[in-house]
Amino acid sequence: MSGNKKQLNVLVSGGGTGGHIFPALSIANELRRRHPESNILFVGAEGRMEMEKVPAAGYNIVGLPVSGFDRKNLLRNFKVLARLFKSMKLARKVLKDFQPAIAIGVGGYASGPMLKEAQKQGIPTLLQEQNSYAGVTNKLLAAKADCICVAYEGMERFFPKEKIVLTGNPVRRNLLECGATPEQARQAMGVDPNKKTVLIIGGSLGARTINNAIIDGLKKIGEADGVQVIWQTGKFYDQQCREALGASGVANVIQMPFISNMDMAYRAADLVVSRAGASSISELQLLGKAAILVPSPNVAEDHQTKNALALVNRDAAMMVSDADAMANLVDTMLATAVDSARLESLGTNVSKMALRDAAEHIVDEVEKIIGR
């Protein structure tokens, strides 16, 4: 390919959550690094997070009016179907105007109409599946895909075996390149450099159950000796959590709606409390972090519990179910934070599961397909 400097058009589709957007951007960045002349176009879902995150990263994006199926209220799906037809029509126009050499789908409902349309027109497609339990969109697209990049073993229960390549999930590069010591990172985060540190992250939007469990356990946390907490609550819960923390008078917790320097936050932490989304798990694996996972029950096919169990079964993480979090999370967290041997074994085991250089491996596959 190197001799031929013809414009390389690549379409990347998917989104709906940060978990789909960060891997998509990592793949695009790696493509751009190898092929600076390439033209990369994103296709997302109107009104979702990708519509601001992708342009902020320097890429063009087109929004489709798609939405997910409403599993509880079937009548609402007439609207969903109408949007789907409109999206298919728009997808055809995007393909005609952009003429991509390949379409990459990272899951999420935005990638459905776009990749389906690409497959109909004979454009090669590559799928990236982040979870241990395949998403509906990727399952529907698998039969006609050229390659399916996965992050877990055993995915042939969902996809044709000969198309699967185990690559891992791409994560934000800056997380892996943090040069600070844990003490320096704690100082940067505004906490005591010498205390055991727990980092609580609920994702960009926050996690209600985790936040409520922490509010409920503030007194216990305040009495815990030698432990401190960095608590990222998400913007929705910022005010409620800030007020609860202020009223409690607890001094060993700092709270913020959002953490922009996640590389420092991870480096500062001895223990992480998190939801079990695919991106978070890949980050924990690559950084070798001991974690307590609280899977979100509000996701398709309960895939977060399946993601968490893939780690728990290898003694690479601990799990507290969403239903048990109010009763058990704070006690489990405080007991684990001071148990150095446990922290070390969890960190060692989770780091053995890491699949490194995922974006590079995925782009290798992209190049093979285009080279054919």
Side-chain angles (χ1 to χ4, degrees):
M1 269 186 64
S2 50
N4 171 14
K5 280 290 172 210
K6 182 176 156 286
Q7 175 93 52
L8 172 64
N9 289 351
V10 178
L11 191 116
V12 182
S13 184
T17 65
H20 291 302
I21 301 160
F22 294 128
L25 286 171
S26 298
I27 296 167
N29 292 340
E30 178 60 21
L31 264 166
R32 188 172 265 184
R33 198 178 66 76
R34 291 191 205 182
H35 304 280
E37 76 291 350
S38 61
N39 190 6
I40 300 168
L41 177 68
F42 279 75
V43 178
E46 271 175 9
R48 300 300 292 240
M49 200 168 160
E50 56 267 27
M51 300 309 291
E52 66 188 65
K53 293 268 187 227
V54 169
Y59 294 98
N60 293 332
I61 186 166
V62 174
L64 299 181
V66 278
S67 52
F69 274 93
D70 192 323
R71 291 160 205 230
K72 295 191 180 86
N73 182 344
L74 293 175
L75 287 174
R76 285 203 191 136
N77 289 324
F78 285 118
K79 228 186 226 166
V80 175
L81 285 171
R83 287 192 193 123
L84 187 62
F85 284 120
K86 200 169 158 194
S87 298
M88 296 297 269
K89 209 168 139 185
L90 260 164
R92 282 195 287 276
K93 184 176 177 347
V94 169
L95 291 172
K96 194 176 154 209
D97 295 347
F98 186 63
Q99 305 219 322
I102 187 169
I104 299 168
V106 295
Y109 43 71
S111 66
M114 200 63 242
L115 269 86
K116 192 84 198 145
E117 213 41 65
Q119 289 177 345
K120 271 190 199 163
Q121 297 190 20
I123 294 163
T125 55
L126 175 141
L127 306 180
Q128 200 250 331
E129 175 54 62
Q130 289 118 18
N131 293 294
S132 63
Y133 192 89
V136 156
T137 306
N138 280 346
K139 282 196 280 199
L140 292 172
L141 295 166
K144 291 194 172 153
D146 292 68
C147 173
I148 304 163
C149 297
V150 301
Y152 290 88
E153 282 162 9
M155 296 301 284
E156 50 281 348
R157 355 176 236 154
F158 306 109
F159 301 133
K161 192 174 176 179
E162 67 283 359
K163 296 184 178 187
I164 297 175
V165 181
L166 186 65
T167 57
N169 284 325
V171 305
R172 295 169 275 184
R173 188 161 246 183
N174 67 319
L175 294 181
L176 309 177
E177 292 171 352
C178 177
T181 65
E183 291 74 20
Q184 288 167 335
R186 285 174 205 145
Q187 242 154 349
M189 295 303 294
V191 295
D192 185 328
N194 303 311
K195 276 188 178 175
K196 290 285 191 197
T197 305
V198 180
L199 170 66
I200 299 172
I201 37 179
S204 46
L205 304 173
R208 185 177 15 184
T209 309
I210 295 177
N211 287 335
N212 286 343
I214 299 305
I215 288 173
D216 202 50
L218 278 171
K219 187 168 173 293
K220 274 183 192 166
I221 297 170
E223 290 162 3
D225 206 21
V227 177
Q228 60 194 355
V229 173
I230 300 169
W231 182 20
Q232 184 244 305
T233 54
K235 56 182 186 213
F236 288 140
Y237 307 103
D238 178 39
Q239 194 182 344
Q240 174 199 2
C241 296
R242 197 169 8 133
E243 286 170 3
L245 181 58
S248 73
V250 167
N252 59 341
V253 176
I254 62 161
Q255 177 271 334
M256 55 202 79
F258 190 74
I259 297 175
S260 51
N261 50 340
M262 271 309 289
D263 54 338
M264 285 294 184
Y266 271 129
R267 184 54 60 95
D270 296 286
L271 175 67
V272 179
V273 174
S274 167
R275 286 298 200 197
S279 286
S280 306
I281 285 187
S282 298
E283 289 166 4
L284 295 168
Q285 289 169 337
L286 288 160
L287 298 169
K289 288 289 163 187
I292 299 171
L293 300 170
V294 186
S296 169
N298 318 315
V299 294
E301 287 109 7
D302 196 24
H303 69 250
Q304 286 204 3
T305 298
K306 293 165 179 132
N307 288 349
L309 287 170
L311 273 64
V312 172
N313 293 338
R314 299 188 184 196
D315 198 32
M318 295 164 74
M319 181 171 104
V320 172
S321 75
D322 195 81
D324 294 340
M326 285 305 279
N328 300 339
L329 180 60
V330 169
D331 290 337
T332 307
M333 172 182 103
L334 294 174
T336 309
V338 294
D339 184 345
S340 298
R342 183 80 180 116
L343 292 173
E344 192 182 342
S345 80
L346 287 168
T348 303
N349 291 343
V350 78
S351 119
K352 284 179 191 156
M353 295 181 72
L355 294 164
R356 300 182 192 282
D357 307 320
E360 287 90 328
H361 293 316
I362 291 167
V363 173
D364 290 344
E365 296 304 319
V366 169
E367 290 182 337
K368 281 182 205 165
I369 292 169
I370 295 171
R372 283 178 210 149

